[in-house]
Amino acid sequence: YTKRKEGRRVYDMGARLRTLRKAKGWSQETLGRKLNKTKSVVSSYEANLRTPPLDVLTDLAALYGVSLDYLA
């Protein structure tokens, strides 16, 4: 779950969120409904254009059955 940036490895939260969503078999629209967010907001989280706020990260952790540490 890392990508290269200037020869260094950096954490890619968007990739982790996408992987977890796909493992559940959910579309971005389905996840958005569960979070009360739009598909475009979910897409922006997965593309690393926006960072989910703490309340959304908490909801994601609960939905996926993972810790906040795992997401962040």
Side-chain angles (χ1 to χ4, degrees):
Y1 297 103
T2 59
K3 59 184 177 180
R4 296 237 178 239
K5 183 176 183 179
E6 300 172 7
R8 295 176 303 173
R9 298 181 99 182
V10 294
Y11 176 67
D12 187 351
M13 182 188 297
R16 177 157 289 177
L17 294 175
R18 186 178 321 104
T19 299
L20 289 166
R21 176 181 56 78
K22 287 184 175 187
K24 290 282 190 180
W26 297 339
S27 67
Q28 289 179 336
E29 186 175 345
T30 299
L31 178 58
R33 280 195 305 269
K34 293 177 182 297
L35 296 172
N36 199 28
K37 303 289 180 195
T38 64
K39 174 186 172 185
S40 64
V41 169
V42 172
S43 175
S44 68
Y45 294 157
E46 293 181 0
N48 294 309
L49 298 175
R50 293 172 117 177
T51 301
L54 183 57
D55 63 317
V56 173
L57 286 172
T58 301
D59 291 344
L60 286 166
L63 286 168
Y64 295 139
V66 298
S67 68
L68 282 173
D69 286 345
Y70 184 78
L71 294 179

